[in-house]
Amino acid sequence: MPVEFLGIAATGDGSETTPRTTAAFDRDYTLRLARAHEDHGWDRVLFAYGAGSPDPAPAAAYIASKLDRLQILLAHRPNVSYPTFAAKTFATLDQISNGRLTVHFITGGNDHEQQREGDFLTKDQRYDRTREYIRIVKKAWTSKEPFDHEGEYYRFNDFVSDVLPVQQPRPGVSFGGSSPAAYAAGGAEADIYCLWGEPLAQTAEQIETVRAAAKAAGRTDTPRIQVAFRPIIAPTEELAWEKAYRTVDAIKTRRAGGGLIRRYAGTPENTGSQRLIEIAEAGERYDRALWTPTAAATGGAGNSNALVGTPETVAQALLDYYDLGVDILSARGYDLLGDAIDFGRYVIPIVREEVAKRDAAKAAARERDRHQLIAVQA
């Protein structure tokens, strides 16, 4: 099973630990960060979405036109555009990138954040809308004949897109969440199901829940699994832990000073963040390298649990998740550019080498079993 690495395609240099020194959209920094990922072994980068933030679609098109190999994961909220319009945008971006696009559909886990752009549906309604939205987009990507649609949230007649994706039959669909509604929607529609980093036992449970949801939806396949972490690495374990505690201090300082209030204020409404807080309250360290104070310091804001240690320790921790069935590993440091380079130089090669060894061993075992079966039958 091949392994892939997902990084972040930020348009500015700020993070939870450091105020932004660039503009909200800095063209040179955006390209520099994306190129660092391409040059250091990453497979794709996420163009994230936030109310008031730069539009990720044209930023992704800009990077796609400048780089030849890096794949694109484009985040999109259904409330911001009609599905037929979005399908054309995505297909055009897949053409620009020559087939390197995956779309990550965000239902939205915070009412206030959704309301910033006019979305006043309840959470359950948003999940129902997302499922309808994804189905329309998929049909628009693949239909060569005009079609009508009359659903709960969308209605139109005689639509056919003149632009189709490069990828056939269509680009991939990515989805995430930790609530029953999320599992049901993603299990039914997603090619990739995204989770935030939790202890191995909880991650294994979530993977089984996603697979069960896919089966309940009548699928014969299951989504690939992606898990996200915040790696904190250094040449020695001692230095890595010193760096980890400095990182948490910096997060707390920024939050106390109001630097994170707009995004990281209040009790989280979404189940994923609630789970991160519960895990942090139960303990700071789990398994080989998982560390929760970074999540606690942000109030469980998004991808926020850390993996702490030397590159070798963090690589082995990632392999533990790979062994559970996770084949897309998402990682984002706190120094976005420097950490992307270091992770690519020192962690990714170890993981890829070990995965190759595991795959070779499994292939050899299958070959031995085949020969044994032939011998028995003879």
Side-chain angles (χ1 to χ4, degrees), residues 148-166:
D148 303 337
H149 177 84
E150 185 167 352
E152 185 175 358
Y153 298 96
Y154 303 102
R155 178 183 178 185
F156 56 85
N157 293 325
D158 197 38
F159 177 80
V160 64
S161 177
D162 195 35
V163 56
L164 296 175
V166 171

Side-chain angles (χ1 to χ4, degrees), residues 263-345:
R263 287 188 60 198
Y264 304 106
T267 302
E269 299 171 12
N270 62 306
T271 305
S273 292
Q274 293 169 4
R275 288 173 63 100
L276 294 185
I277 292 173
E278 290 172 2
I279 291 167
E281 290 174 345
E284 289 192 357
R285 297 181 67 169
Y286 292 85
D287 305 318
R288 195 186 299 266
L290 190 73
W291 195 56
T292 65
T294 45
T298 64
N303 171 23
S304 50
N305 269 339
L307 293 176
V308 182
T310 63
E312 292 78 12
T313 296
V314 170
Q316 291 301 321
L318 292 169
L319 287 161
D320 292 338
Y321 288 89
Y322 174 84
D323 291 338
L324 289 180
V326 177
D327 65 338
I328 303 176
L329 299 168
S330 174
R332 171 166 55 102
Y334 293 92
D335 170 6
L336 299 180
L337 181 60
D339 288 347
I341 293 170
D342 287 346
F343 189 88
R345 282 176 174 168

